[in-house]
Amino acid sequence: MQRPFEPDTQETPAVWWDRIPGRARKDPTRLRILHAPAIVTHQQWTVSRAQRRLGAVSDVMAFSAQAGYPTTTCDINLGFSRHQLSLRPSRLVPTLRDLARFIRFFFWALWRYDVFHFHSESFLGSHGDWDLKLLRLFGKTIVFQYWGFDVKLHSMALLQERYGAVKRDIRFYANSRKLRDNLMHLRYADFRVYSGAEVLRNVPDALFIPIAIDLERWRPVAEIPAEHRLPPTDAVRILHPFQTWDTRGDWKGTRLVREAVDRLKAEGHRVELMFLDRVPNEAMPYYYHQADIVVEQLLSGFHGNVSVEAMAMAKPAICYLSEDAYKVLPPGNPIVNANPDTLTDRLRGLVTSPDLCRELGARGRAYVEAYYDAMKIAQVYLELYARRWR
């Protein structure tokens, strides 16, 4: 398995880029990149803006950016959902109009961009591969990036997951569809990448590239607006954010977090649970700043954006990390590893030790600056695009 971005403990992050296979044949900053078509936790937007700051042309496209995301997270919004396309008489005219809009966009993008960086799926998804055939015919670089449930197989997850996150989540599709898409991506992609070890066994040919975070935006704040300011308290605030948890299923272990906080309260500890749902992403730094401890997930075995954001805000992060996670994560990871059996003990240790919380917060900020800085991650992608350029 290729893992060019897993440094030795003595190396600096810049050394990772020298391990990228192949040789650069094109100036990375002259590339024209399109990120499409899914919006995943603002990652496309973060990487795209960093690539722009490095001098590349980089845009984000979505079919419909209104589904729970602000339109500012994409540059090109086609304004329709592929799930609404139908040949029923009542939907025939809108479907033909939407298809015509997509075809115009596709051939315009074919002329404009050099690199098509697909997140989770291609333009057509599971409905065909003629878009990938045309991109290949015109010599475009094709990238597929996976985030977790897009390639995780239900049957394998039931066998592999120790704490059964798959049983609590509803976002699984049939194994046959995922296997078919996986093989299709493998046939057309110049390379495939992933940012979560939970998919490592499903895409063994892929490269691991860490999550990117804008360090200018995610940093301890100087002033909190009144509408986001919480009342003063002497309790230790434990933050557990989970957007749209009621529709996505309890795959983070929210129930377990609540039970652990209740146990600490019963023991006499002054603790308060901050459970955030449907809070705008732009406001999240204010709530991280007012928290003392951040808990992400306890079931799936790898961290997501929440732990990285917590560390960037100099807060101690708690998350369940599997053995696979430690195989790819950079060294010196300060995330407190906790599972459903150990969460209460881990929380108690932090609640009763403010000095340890401050130490972990400082280590977390330094760790994110070294390995998750969006500018460094964007440079990794640019170098990779160029070295794989045919």
Side-chain angles (χ1 to χ4, degrees):
M1 179 186 304
Q2 295 173 311
R3 287 200 293 271
F5 311 110
E6 182 183 2
D8 296 328
T9 53
Q10 293 83 10
E11 293 182 334
T12 61
V15 177
W16 307 354
W17 308 340
D18 295 333
R19 297 186 184 177
I20 299 174
R23 184 174 181 178
R25 301 180 184 177
K26 191 176 181 73
D27 180 1
T29 61
R30 296 180 65 85
L31 293 173
R32 299 171 299 171
I33 306 134
L34 179 67
H35 293 265
I39 298 176
V40 183
T41 63
H42 298 270
Q43 276 296 296
Q44 295 91 323
W45 185 258
T46 301
V47 173
S48 175
R49 299 311 97 169
Q51 289 174 339
R52 284 188 177 189
R53 291 197 293 271
L54 292 171
V57 174
S58 184
D59 296 327
V60 178
M61 168 268 179
F63 279 98
S64 179
Q66 284 80 22
Y69 295 92
T71 55
T72 54
T73 55
C74 72
D75 303 292
I76 303 166
N77 179 16
L78 296 189
F80 70 91
S81 170
R82 289 174 299 177
H83 303 295
Q84 296 177 348
L85 299 178
S86 172
L87 296 179
R88 291 180 303 175
S90 61
R91 289 289 307 165
L92 184 58
V93 173
T95 293
L96 293 176
R97 183 182 63 241
D98 293 340
L99 287 176
R101 184 182 304 142
F102 167 68
I103 292 172
R104 288 197 302 269
F105 159 77
F106 179 81
F107 284 101
W108 172 82
L110 194 64
W111 164 80
R112 175 172 174 77
Y113 299 105
D114 306 309
V115 179
F116 287 76
H117 189 143
F118 292 115
H119 296 260
S120 300
E121 58 182 353
S122 62
F123 291 123
L124 297 182
S126 299
H127 302 292
D129 63 351
W130 67 259
D131 55 341
L132 298 173
K133 287 181 178 178
L134 284 173
L135 293 177
R136 175 63 69 209
L137 179 65
F138 282 85
K140 305 300 182 180
T141 293
I142 300 173
V143 182
F144 278 98
Q145 182 158 9
Y146 306 113
W147 296 97
F149 290 96
D150 41 11
V151 291
K152 181 183 285 188
L153 301 178
H154 186 272
S155 55
M156 290 184 64
L158 287 173
L159 295 174
Q160 296 170 0
E161 289 185 350
R162 181 178 178 184
Y163 296 104
V166 63
K167 298 177 182 178
R168 296 172 169 84
D169 199 283
I170 62 175
R171 295 178 298 157
F172 280 93
Y173 298 96
N175 284 350
S176 58
R177 184 198 124 166
K178 289 190 177 182
L179 286 170
R180 184 176 64 249
D181 291 352
N182 202 334
L183 291 174
M184 180 175 66
H185 299 171
L186 186 62
R187 184 183 313 127
Y188 292 106
D190 286 285
F191 64 91
R192 306 197 293 174
V193 300
Y194 67 99
S195 298
E198 62 180 5
V199 304
L200 186 152
R201 300 179 186 180
N202 298 310
V203 284
D205 64 296
L207 306 173
F208 174 73
I209 300 178
I211 288 172
I213 188 167
D214 184 349
L215 291 175
E216 290 301 314
R217 179 168 175 267
W218 290 95
R219 64 189 313 155
V221 296
E223 184 177 354
I224 301 173
E227 62 269 25
H228 302 299
R229 197 176 302 141
L230 300 175
T233 181
D234 60 350
V236 176
R237 283 185 166 134
I238 300 171
L239 172 61
H240 178 63
F242 189 178
Q243 299 287 21
T244 62
W245 79 282
D246 54 335
T247 59
R248 294 165 64 190
D250 185 18
W251 66 272
K252 284 193 175 185
T254 300
R255 175 181 58 81
L256 301 169
V257 177
R258 288 171 170 160
E259 290 174 355
V261 172
D262 288 341
R263 290 193 196 100
L264 293 179
K265 288 181 178 178
E267 295 174 5
H269 298 285
R270 291 276 297 162
V271 293
E272 173 187 328
L273 177 62
M274 296 170 57
F275 178 71
L276 300 184
D277 182 24
R278 303 182 189 277
V279 174
N281 188 267
E282 293 76 10
M284 285 301 297
Y286 302 125
Y287 294 98
Y288 279 98
H289 187 79
Q290 297 174 88
D292 299 293
I293 301 166
V294 179
V295 182
E296 184 173 16
Q297 64 80 22
L298 304 166
L299 302 172
S300 68
F302 200 79
H303 74 76
N305 279 42
V306 169
S307 290
V308 180
E309 292 164 357
M311 290 188 289
M313 298 294 293
K315 302 297 179 179
I318 296 180
C319 181
Y320 168 50
L321 301 175
S322 67
E323 294 181 2
D324 282 344
Y326 285 107
K327 293 177 182 178
V328 296
L329 285 175
N333 170 30
I335 295 175
V336 178
N337 194 351
N339 57 50
D341 301 324
T342 62
L343 176 62
T344 303
D345 292 337
R346 298 290 187 269
L347 278 174
R348 186 187 299 110
L350 293 178
V351 167
T352 58
S353 181
D355 291 339
L356 178 58
C357 288
R358 284 190 289 270
E359 177 190 344
L360 289 173
R363 286 175 54 195
R365 177 68 190 188
Y367 185 75
V368 169
E369 289 176 352
Y371 298 110
Y372 293 83
D373 181 0
M375 297 301 291
K376 295 178 180 179
I377 300 301
Q379 182 66 40
V380 169
Y381 282 119
L382 291 179
E383 293 286 342
L384 194 56
Y385 301 151
R387 290 175 186 259
R388 297 300 293 263
W389 192 268
R390 294 176 304 279

